[in-house]
Amino acid sequence: ENVMSQVDESHQTPGRFATERFAAELASHTIVCCANKNIFKPEYNDLITKDIVATARMIHSYVWNANKIFVGVDEGKLQERRKLQGKAKTLCDELRQQLQIAQKVFHFKAQKLKAWEEKIEKVEKCIDSWKEGDRKMYLESLQKAEAKDKTGL
């Protein structure tokens, strides 16, 4: 079971675990929607549907891999994590663009597109919060390391 499902969401700061959970929800929602052959016609699979699913899966993959990086006081690790977070955000925008095209091609309801875009926005906001949390933790870790060096403890 997902550890985050055991945490009261009202007390949870959107961070790396929430971001991964929302990215997984976005990917699974995308897969389920795109599997609906009544809306996403099979003859368009190679033209757009597979790309939509691949983009959503890659968003999750970048978030997942960024989440595995322990930063501590290593600026290189922080930059590595930031790069993956940035790629995930770029793909969020790409997914949004793909869905707008898909909505025109498949004529699904604007409400469906809006709900999908809200899921994308949730992931983007979580990535932003996560990056800010990383920045604060990195600076705090640096300060603690510097204080430890000064005191020799």
Side-chain angles (χ1 to χ4, degrees):
E1 181 177 34
N2 186 339
V3 175
M4 293 312 294
S5 65
Q6 300 170 1
V7 177
D8 178 6
E9 285 192 29
S10 65
H11 294 93
Q12 180 181 329
T13 304
R16 60 193 197 133
F17 297 114
T19 307
E20 189 278 322
R21 187 180 79 228
F22 292 136
E25 287 174 10
L26 173 62
S28 61
H29 175 79
T30 301
I31 291 166
V32 168
C33 288
C34 289
N36 183 343
K37 293 183 185 342
N38 293 325
I39 295 173
F40 288 84
K41 305 292 182 197
E43 59 267 24
Y44 291 94
N45 274 352
D46 291 335
L47 300 172
I48 191 165
T49 308
K50 284 182 181 178
D51 291 340
I52 292 169
V53 171
T55 301
R57 290 180 63 217
M58 285 307 300
I59 292 166
H60 180 255
S61 180
Y62 283 131
V63 168
W64 179 275
N65 287 312
N67 194 22
K68 293 189 324 186
I69 298 170
F70 176 74
V71 174
V73 294
D74 186 336
E75 186 176 357
K77 294 287 187 187
L78 178 64
Q79 293 307 317
E80 184 180 346
R81 180 185 273 182
R82 289 239 163 153
K83 185 177 179 181
L84 293 170
Q85 291 165 330
K87 286 180 178 184
K89 275 199 71 174
T90 297
L91 287 179
C92 284
D93 192 49
E94 188 172 318
L95 180 59
R96 189 178 285 108
Q97 293 168 8
Q98 291 169 337
L99 291 172
Q100 288 172 356
I101 293 167
Q103 199 265 335
K104 291 178 185 345
V105 171
F106 300 115
H107 308 289
F108 53 83
K109 294 179 182 173
Q111 295 161 320
K112 185 176 203 61
L113 178 61
K114 185 175 187 268
W116 221 327
E117 288 178 333
E118 287 171 358
K119 290 183 181 300
I120 296 168
E121 189 174 310
K122 190 181 280 191
V123 172
E124 290 173 317
K125 286 182 178 181
C126 280
I127 291 170
D128 290 339
S129 294
W130 181 15
K131 287 172 67 175
E132 180 59 23
D134 278 353
R135 185 187 69 76
K136 288 178 182 176
M137 286 193 335
Y138 175 73
L139 292 174
E140 287 173 11
S141 294
L142 277 180
Q143 289 172 345
K144 287 178 183 175
E146 288 172 1
K148 186 177 177 182
D149 286 346
K150 287 180 184 176
T151 62
L153 298 175

